[in-house]
Amino acid sequence: EPEVTQTPSHQVTQMGQEVILRCVPISNHLYFYWYRQILGQKVEFLVSFYNNEISEKSEIFDDQFSVERPDGSNFTLKIRSTKLEDSAMYFCASSEQGLQADTQYFGPGTRLTVL
Amino acid sequence: QKEVEQDPGPLSVPEGAIVSLNCTYSNSAFQYFMWYRQYSRKGPELLMYTYSSGNKEDGRFTAQVDKSSKYISLFIRDSQPSDSATYLCAITQGGSEKLVFGKGTKLTVNP
């Protein structure tokens, strides 16, 4: 069964450093998403991406964050200057037709630790 | 008022019990309702997806939506130790790609 994959599974970085989290969505899916989950808290929406542009973003997704689909298979989340409070699990998700007709399938997550 | 409220539990039941998990929501514009299961330090795994009031059944799982009360439920029949996980409700409204999650209910099924 096709699945969303994410690398790395765990990333440790120093505060102020840039990190790139990588995702390979399910191959025929057109909608891509990033969510995060701070330990013990809710899963929170960050951004949705369709047709090579951001379609929706939350107030969390400020100028420190960016997303990109650099080729036909990868989808990345970049955090330019990490803060301690960016420590969380980051989940990528994808959807074939978007939430109006389909649902979202999640990857296993990347655990980001900012020291 | 929070958009989606879910009792975090924890909930502990014996094997074979019927489990009822619930969420309430505040925004009547919400139209699509999902239940995810999440094992420790893993990604959410889709269990059920519905967009209408009423019941939807899939094996031992039944999802129930009451839009008039803004209340959704997930029932698990004949619960198994492998059902032990955190169960997340997730809701979205028409025209949005944003899923709003409940905090999750941690369930333990004891053999």
Side-chain angles (χ1 to χ4, degrees):
Chain A
E1 186 173 327
E3 58 184 19
V4 177
T5 59
Q6 290 184 244
T7 54
S9 57
H10 189 193
Q11 172 94 46
V12 181
T13 189
Q14 296 291 325
M15 189 170 57
Q17 295 296 304
E18 175 184 287
V19 294
I20 297 176
L21 308 182
R22 302 180 192 280
C23 168
V24 179
I26 295 172
S27 63
N28 63 331
H29 285 191
L30 301 176
Y31 295 77
F32 313 111
Y33 314 86
W34 284 101
Y35 289 79
R36 78 171 185 191
Q37 186 177 31
I38 295 170
L39 188 64
Q41 297 188 25
K42 289 185 179 186
V43 177
E44 299 174 289
F45 171 81
L46 292 177
V47 66
S48 61
F49 190 86
Y50 170 72
N51 200 26
N52 279 322
E53 60 182 29
I54 290 173
S55 52
E56 198 169 350
K57 62 181 181 178
S58 72
E59 60 277 6
I60 302 169
F61 194 88
D62 60 21
D63 292 343
Q64 294 294 331
F65 292 89
S66 62
V67 290
E68 192 178 29
R69 188 150 163 84
D71 54 43
S73 59
N74 290 283
F75 180 52
T76 62
L77 174 70
K78 182 193 290 187
I79 308 175
R80 277 186 248 289
S81 179
T82 49
K83 307 182 186 76
L84 295 176
E85 55 265 35
D86 294 327
S87 295
M89 284 288 286
Y90 287 81
F91 295 108
C92 175
S94 69
S95 173
E96 185 177 358
Q97 301 178 61
L99 276 179
Q100 307 313 301
D102 191 10
T103 188
Q104 295 174 7
Y105 298 87
F106 284 75
T110 292
R111 182 153 56 105
L112 176 65
T113 302
V114 182
L115 302 176
Chain B
Q1 187 177 13
K2 293 181 182 175
E3 286 188 291
V4 180
E5 302 242 28
Q6 183 176 9
D7 185 343
L11 183 61
S12 182
V13 300
E15 184 175 352
I18 296 174
V19 176
S20 171
L21 305 165
N22 310 292
C23 286
T24 59
Y25 61 95
S26 58
N27 187 346
S28 56
F30 285 145
Q31 294 182 347
Y32 302 96
F33 309 92
M34 278 144 272
W35 285 95
Y36 285 85
R37 176 172 61 195
Q38 186 178 28
Y39 294 109
S40 182
R41 297 189 180 273
K42 301 291 185 187
E45 171 195 7
L46 179 70
L47 284 176
M48 303 284 284
Y49 169 51
T50 184
Y51 58 87
S52 59
S53 281
N55 293 353
K56 182 176 180 180
E57 194 172 314
D58 184 1
R60 296 184 296 111
F61 298 90
T62 299
Q64 189 174 78
V65 175
D66 182 348
K67 289 187 177 181
S68 62
S69 301
K70 301 191 187 73
Y71 191 87
I72 65 172
S73 300
L74 178 71
F75 298 97
I76 308 173
R77 287 185 300 282
D78 187 24
S79 55
Q80 303 294 309
S82 57
D83 295 328
S84 298
T86 296
Y87 289 80
L88 311 172
C89 62
I91 306 176
T92 192
Q93 65 185 68
S96 173
E97 291 297 321
K98 168 186 167 182
L99 274 179
V100 179
F101 281 86
K103 196 168 183 182
T105 299
K106 186 171 182 181
L107 170 68
T108 301
V109 181
N110 301 299

